Amino acid sequence: MIQDSPGATPPEPAGFAQQGGSGAYEYAHGAYEEDDPPADVPGGSHDADDAEATRRAVDVAESSRASRGWWDRNADEYQGEHGAFLGDDRFVWGPEGLDEADAALLGPAAALAGTRVLEIGCGAAQCSRWLAARGARPVALDLSHRQLQHALRIDDGRPGFPLVQADAGTLPFADGSFDLACSAYGGVPFVADSARVMREVHRVLRPGGRWVFSVTHPVRWAFPDEPGPEGLTVSASYFDRTPYVEQDEAGRAVYVEHHRTLGDRVREIAAAGFRLADLVEPEWPHWNSQEWGGWSPLRGALIPGTAVFVCVRD
């Protein structure tokens, strides 16, 4: 799931019936309804409209609550605005449009058949649907109830794979449950303890399994989040890890984004027991004329917008 920046994805398991076998869970909520209200959480939509942007410390619980609330409020708008680009069953790594069908970062498409794949931060599960069409056995996980309802909508209430609402930092699966794990702009940038996510993914992967995730390229932290020329001038320190927070009048976070430098990411990956096999920085293609939040052809031609980390569990 690609986020606008601001945008998010991390936690809180709810509404699942365990089906047994390798920690598999089946989504247990009802079918999508167009008029379903978003979750009743602190910092609702009326609070978020007047959110104040700041930089301050945020703990795991506050970050999780903010992210879940943000996506339950904004999933409809997100899918309406970006659904055509994402497709119903396309695997796109970022706003540049790098497609897994071409990049094969998870391995050759022909080798996906029968593999157990965990998608973290799945949104409407477009990537999982693409994987399933190639014979893989995906499990699509997201923090947001509303995003998972959009997955049900696309599949007319009958998804061909499990949908799981859970925290990326506390994966509800047994050790070694999956052959592959992936996240296209999913939970990693939006959790306070991303090192814990790396450890959890390592735990649920079998030896030799691959973990591939994309995030906003860390260098973007130093630039304004603007698609035009104003987004090309450094305005902050790349080394400032203080989270970006939008908060309501009561000081409650309604959106949080966490920054890690490239070195931070590499250290988290290595500390969790992974080997970094590749770091892909997609170039902006000539065919892509869209602007998406702070991503644009202008900026994409000059500075990287996405980083894709390809990790192997040895």
Side-chain angles (χ1 to χ4, degrees):
M1 175 173 57
I2 304 167
Q3 324 295 342
D4 288 327
S5 191
T9 287
E12 252 169 49
F16 293 90
Q18 186 169 2
Q19 303 296 309
S22 298
Y25 284 70
E26 192 72 31
Y27 186 61
H29 281 293
Y32 170 89
E33 297 291 344
E34 193 66 42
D35 295 327
D36 281 352
D40 183 13
V41 295
S45 57
H46 62 287
D47 299 309
D49 290 342
D50 299 319
E52 172 195 14
T54 186
R55 295 281 188 90
R56 66 172 173 84
V58 181
D59 65 19
V60 170
E62 185 180 19
S63 185
S64 296
R65 285 193 300 269
S67 294
R68 180 175 181 178
W70 197 95
W71 275 108
D72 280 345
R73 290 189 304 271
N74 291 280
D76 294 359
E77 180 181 355
Y78 175 85
Q79 294 296 337
E81 184 175 356
H82 301 300
F85 178 81
L86 296 173
D88 288 346
D89 57 357
R90 185 183 176 204
F91 196 135
V92 185
W93 285 109
E96 296 84 2
L98 179 65
D99 203 305
E100 175 61 15
D102 301 318
L105 301 182
L106 292 172
L112 292 173
T115 58
R116 299 163 297 170
V117 188
L118 175 61
E119 182 187 3
I120 295 174
C122 67
Q126 288 94 338
C127 298
S128 286
R129 217 167 276 110
W130 182 89
L131 289 162
R134 277 138 194 87
R137 296 160 52 199
V139 173
L141 179 146
D142 202 282
L143 164 68
S144 168
H145 177 204
R146 191 59 170 178
Q147 284 285 52
L148 294 173
Q149 285 184 311
H150 279 283
L152 289 173
R153 170 184 58 80
I154 292 172
D155 289 321
D156 295 322
R158 298 180 296 275
F161 44 84
L163 303 175
V164 177
Q165 185 180 2
D167 186 334
T170 310
L171 298 174
F173 307 108
D175 297 358
S177 294
F178 297 96
D179 303 300
L180 300 168
C182 59
S183 182
Y185 273 78
V188 176
F190 307 101
V191 296
D193 189 355
S194 52
R196 178 178 173 181
V197 175
M198 302 298 163
R199 294 193 298 271
E200 276 291 276
V201 174
H202 185 274
R203 179 183 64 78
V204 302
L205 277 178
R206 64 166 178 78
R210 183 169 285 210
W211 161 227
V212 185
F213 66 94
S214 61
V215 296
T216 302
H217 197 289
V219 75
R220 287 289 182 100
W221 192 257
F223 293 83
D225 189 36
E226 298 290 343
E230 63 271 32
L232 296 174
T233 301
V234 170
S235 62
S237 171
Y238 170 77
F239 300 103
D240 182 2
R241 279 89 160 175
T242 308
Y244 170 83
V245 179
E246 294 178 5
Q247 59 188 18
D248 63 17
E249 292 180 354
R252 297 172 301 198
V254 296
Y255 170 78
V256 180
E257 186 170 346
H258 300 271
H259 171 56
R260 301 290 184 271
T261 67
L262 278 174
D264 292 338
R265 287 277 177 238
V266 171
R267 284 184 287 275
E268 286 182 349
I269 289 165
F274 287 106
R275 171 172 52 88
L276 182 62
D278 199 0
L279 172 57
V280 180
E281 300 166 293
E283 296 186 37
W284 196 274
H286 295 297
W287 59 263
N288 190 350
S289 60
Q290 74 158 354
E291 290 186 359
W292 183 323
W295 288 267
S296 66
L298 172 66
R299 297 182 83 200
L302 298 172
I303 57 175
T306 296
V308 190
F309 295 83
V310 181
C311 315
V312 177
R313 185 196 192 283
D314 289 329

